[in-house]
Amino acid sequence: MTGEVSLEPCTPEPGSFAVDARDGRVGRVMGRVGPYVQLRPPGGGAEWDCPPDLVRPAPPGVVLRARVTEINREGQLPR
């Protein structure tokens, strides 16, 4: 597999990574607000809403890249 996104919708757990099938953005699942799943970009930023039927599980390679992004961001924050 070369980073392809699964075509099956998923019910993501908060804290996991998922892909917004509308545009391929990857985000950490923050929870649900109303009918939407809220995703936040790796490393921080504004959350966005994604319809649950368009949330896909993030493949392992995508999850690894997202975690590295978060770790790098944490290392740049002032202590």
Side-chain angles (χ1 to χ4, degrees), residues 4-73:
E4 295 176 15
V5 175
S6 168
L7 299 178
E8 294 300 316
C10 69
T11 305
E13 292 294 320
S16 66
F17 285 100
V19 176
D20 184 335
R22 297 175 295 183
D23 57 12
R25 285 186 292 171
V26 176
R28 185 175 288 276
V29 177
M30 303 309 293
R32 291 185 75 124
V33 173
Y36 298 102
V37 175
Q38 283 206 312
L39 301 171
R40 177 177 286 158
E47 294 177 2
W48 77 92
D49 295 331
C50 183
D53 59 329
L54 294 174
V55 175
R56 305 292 184 261
V62 171
V63 171
L64 180 60
R65 283 190 296 277
R67 287 184 176 161
V68 167
T69 298
E70 287 185 338
I71 291 167
N72 286 339
R73 171 82 174 138

